[in-house]
Amino acid sequence: MAKDTKKKLPNFTTPRGSFVYPKLSEPDYGSKEYPKPEGEYSLKLRMSLDEAEAWLGQKNKEGTTLQAAYDEAMAEGEVAFDKLAVATRKKLGEIKKNDLYTVVYDEQTEEPTGDVEFKFSMKASGEFKQGPRAGKKWSRKPDLFDARGKKIGTGVNIWGGSEGKVSFAASPYFIPGTGAAGLKLMLGGVQVIELVTNGSRSADSYGFGAEEGFGYDPDDYRSEDSEGGDTSSGDGDSGSAAAGESDF
């Protein structure tokens, strides 16, 4: 029996960051101009440059760092570039090293804000290319967890501005046609620590902090009627769903 010589990809978990354009609840199938027929889950995670640089040097459970994985990917890219046909190398000039993250700029001043963004993605479906299941379809989605580590079920829309951590595998790549080399951050799971959904915002984002005084407990405001009687409020159609409920 032949041994599987495929190299195991290193896994990492990010520090807490802010979600930008998360596509985690449903696959993104792209647009008419740029379709993604197999669907894709993705998000960008924003954090400060200082946080990013410190994290890049932290070792994972396997004893390696994301920076080391990136450096190795660049070295492999150099080797692959040198193996290209002479005419191709002459045309391309040199290897193109894609960065691990993108710098965030202020739209008004066009100066760096001090933040950077990491992009994570996962293909939502595909087809087995070999083995006993060759030709059969497969589908998957990222595992989502709340702040306590419990799995998040369906019906939760995770919007931009939510905060949390991302678990991913780092996969090196080299594109012969462009001479580009980099490290693909393959989305595995997401922990949502602070949820923003359907336009909601946290107290923090409004500048509110904890104070002594009124505390809201939904049980304190449950009417006797809601215990089993008529739940109509009298404001409009009593048979209509709550705002946003039909979107889930």
Side-chain angles (χ1 to χ4, degrees):
M1 183 178 176
K3 290 184 178 178
D4 185 3
T5 57
K6 193 173 181 180
K7 186 178 177 182
K8 183 182 178 183
L9 300 177
N11 290 276
F12 301 91
T13 301
T14 70
R16 178 172 175 168
S18 179
F19 299 171
V20 179
Y21 300 125
K23 306 289 185 181
L24 299 171
S25 304
E26 296 290 339
D28 174 22
Y29 290 98
S31 61
K32 186 176 180 180
E33 294 79 12
Y34 303 100
K36 299 177 183 178
E38 295 171 322
E40 181 185 76
Y41 293 98
S42 65
L43 83 155
K44 293 179 181 180
L45 189 72
R46 183 176 294 182
M47 64 184 75
S48 73
L49 178 59
D50 290 341
E51 289 174 320
E53 290 181 337
W55 169 55
L56 289 177
Q58 292 176 3
K59 291 184 178 180
N60 63 1
K61 292 180 179 179
E62 297 149 352
T64 189
T65 67
L66 186 57
Q67 184 63 58
Y70 177 77
D71 293 341
E72 185 177 350
M74 294 304 101
E76 291 176 0
E78 293 277 10
V79 172
F81 186 85
D82 290 341
K83 290 181 179 178
L84 294 175
V86 175
T88 303
R89 282 189 279 115
K90 293 291 186 183
K91 180 181 178 181
L92 295 175
E94 62 182 9
I95 188 173
K96 178 186 176 184
K97 298 181 178 181
N98 289 337
D99 294 329
L100 258 176
Y101 54 75
T102 57
V103 174
V104 179
Y105 291 93
D106 185 283
E107 292 293 331
Q108 310 250 314
T109 66
E110 299 188 359
E111 294 294 323
T113 63
D115 289 341
V116 297
E117 291 176 351
F118 291 84
K119 171 73 182 292
F120 306 88
S121 62
M122 170 192 282
K123 193 196 247 185
S125 65
E127 186 177 286
F128 290 102
K129 294 187 174 17
Q130 56 188 3
R133 291 183 287 179
K136 292 184 177 179
K137 302 287 186 181
W138 57 261
S139 63
R140 63 182 174 183
K141 58 184 178 180
D143 290 321
L144 306 177
F145 302 90
D146 66 13
R148 296 176 179 81
K150 293 183 179 179
K151 266 207 168 184
I152 297 174
T154 58
V156 177
N157 291 326
I158 302 170
W159 284 26
S162 296
E163 294 184 4
K165 300 179 179 182
V166 180
S167 176
F168 65 98
S171 178
Y173 65 84
F174 176 73
I175 305 172
T178 61
L183 201 59
K184 183 175 176 61
L185 308 184
M186 302 171 65
L187 177 63
V190 175
Q191 182 182 31
V192 183
I193 299 173
E194 183 174 326
L195 176 68
V196 174
T197 184
N198 293 15
S200 66
R201 292 171 58 185
S202 66
D204 240 13
S205 69
Y206 286 107
F208 301 145
E211 301 281 354
E212 290 293 327
F214 168 72
Y216 174 69
D217 184 336
D219 288 338
D220 293 342
Y221 292 85
R222 186 176 298 162
S223 67
E224 291 181 6
D225 285 343
S226 68
E227 297 296 331
D230 180 10
T231 57
S232 171
S233 65
D235 296 326
D237 183 3
S238 61
S240 62
E245 186 178 328
S246 59
D247 297 330
F248 296 149

